[in-house]
Amino acid sequence: MSPILETMEVFRIVGGARLAGEVRVTGAKNSVLKLMAAALLAEGTTTLREVPDILDVDYMAELLRRLGCDVIRDRENRTVAITVPEMPSHQADYDLVRKLRASINVLGPLLARCGQADVALPGGDNIGSRGLDMHVAGLERLGATVHSEHGFLIARRDERLRGASIWLDFPSVGATENLLMAAVLALGTTVIDNAAREPEIVDICTMLQSMGAQISGVGTSTLEIVGVDILQPTDHTTVPDRLVAGTWAVGAVMTRGDITIHNAVSGHLEIALSKLADAGAQIDLMDNGFRVRCDTRPKAVDVVTLPYPGFPTDLQPHFIAMNSIASGAALVTENLFEARFRFVNEMVRLGADVRTDGHHAMVRGRTSLSGAPVEAADIRAGAGLVLAGLVAEGMTTVYEPHHIDRGYEGFVADLVRLGADVTRVFVDERI
Ligand code: EPU
C-alpha cells in the first residue's frame, strides 16, 4: 500500500546566525482586535491605523462582516475601515469564535448597542482554561442577564444597562475591556476596580474617549465611566505591539546581535528590558524605539509573570529560551496561564535543561542547543521556539507555524532581513 502523504507548512531554521539590523513594529494584535470590536459601539465608519497584517485580524474582520459591518482592509497602508450599520446582528458563531478567543470582546459592545449578544464560547490558544466568570458577573452587575446554552453565552438586557460598582477578583484584560465597552453606553456611572492596566487597555480607553466616552482613571486600576447616550465613529492609531518588540529584543540578546526596534515604546516593556540588561544587554532608548545589543553569553535571569506592569506572560517562553543558553540557572514563575509550560517539552527536544513543578520552571543554561523538529502550540510558544532554533546547532523545524502567523506580521521576512537562515517551506509527511 502506498503511504498517505500529508502536506504541511513548517519553518526551517538553521541555527548560528547573529541578528543585526533594524525592524519596525506595527500595531498590537492584543489591542487592535478589541479596537475592532469597539467600532461596533457607533454607527458609521471607524478607521483604525497601524493594523498588523496577521491572521487574527482577518478572523475579526470576518466576524464583524457577519455581524453586518462592511470591513475594508488596506494592507499596504495598514488601515481597516469598519462601517457599522444602525443595528448590527448579534450572533457570533462557533466556527469563527473557536479560531479567535478575542471574539468574546464583541459581547460587551453588542449587548450595549443591540440589547442582546449570543457569542459562542471561545476556545482560542492552547494555554489552559481561560474563564469568563468576571465578564459574566460584571455584565450582570450592569443589569444584564447572562446564561449559557448549546455552547453559546447568551446576554440580554430589557432596558438600558445601569452603571454599577464592579470589583474584579483579578485584573483580567478581557473582562476589563468587555465591561468598559458595555459601561460606556450605560445609564449613570460605573466604577471598575482592580481593572487591568495594560497599554492595550489604555489604547482602547483613548479610542473610546475619542468616540465621546467619558472615562477617567485611564492607566490606573480604578476606571470610572460615566455612560453617554450615543458614541461617534472615530479614526484611531493602534498602540505599537510591545510583545513583538520584546521578541526582537530577546532575539538580539540570544544571538549576541544588535537590533534597532522602531515604533516601539520602551516604557511598555520596562521590566522585560531591565531583565535583559541584567542578562548583559546594552539598551539604548531612542525617540520612537530602542536598540538592544549584546556581545557576550547572556546571564540567566529569574522572571515572575504578573499582570501589567509586571513581567508579561506573553514573553515567558522567550525568556525560557534565552535562559536555556545562558550562563547560570534561573527560576521562571508563571502566574497567568497554567498550560504555558507545555512548550517546555519542545524546548527539551532542543536539548534545553528545564524542569517544571506547578507554576515554576527551573532552567539551567547550556552552552548549546541542538536543532530538532518541534511543534508550536500557541503564538508565543512558537516565537520562543523560533528564537531557540536560531541558536541551536543544525536545523530546527517548527511545525504548526500558523500559530505564529496569528500574532507576528512578516516574521520570517524580518528574520531573514536581520540575517537569520529561516525559510517557510511545505513538507510532505507520511501519516
Ligand atoms: N480569567 C478568569 N476569569 C475571567 C477572565 C480571566 O479566570 O473572567 C483568568 C484566565 O483564565 C487567565 C487569567 O485570568 O488565567 C488572565 O486572563 P485575562 O482575561 O487577563 O487574559 P485574556 O484577556 O484572556 C489577554 C491576551 C493574552 C494575554 C493575556 C494576559 C488578548 C486577545 N489576549 O488574554 O494574549 O496573555 O491578556 O496579558 O488580548 C497572546 O497574545 O498570545 C495572548 C494569549
Side-chain angles (χ1 to χ4, degrees), residues 172-191:
S172 153
V173 171
T176 302
E177 290 160 341
N178 248 331
L179 298 174
L180 255 173
M181 289 190 277
V184 284
L185 287 177
L187 195 62
T189 302
T190 299
V191 176

Side-chain angles (χ1 to χ4, degrees), residues 93-101 103 120-125:
D93 288 323
Y94 183 61
D95 60 339
L96 269 177
V97 173
R98 80 186 179 90
K99 295 195 177 112
L100 180 68
R101 190 188 149 86
S103 322
L121 288 162
D125 287 328

Side-chain angles (χ1 to χ4, degrees), residues 29-30 33-34 101-102 125 127 129-135 170-175 198 243 313-314 336-337 340 379-380:
K29 165 186 89 80
N30 286 351
L33 301 172
K34 330 306 174 58
R101 190 188 149 86
D125 287 328
I127 51 175
S129 83
R130 295 167 74 180
L132 294 173
D133 49 314
M134 287 180 262
H135 301 239
F170 174 90
S172 153
V173 171
E198 271 69 3
L243 305 170
T313 173
D314 294 317
L336 277 90
F337 294 117
R340 264 213 156 131
I379 308 174
R380 310 300 168 190

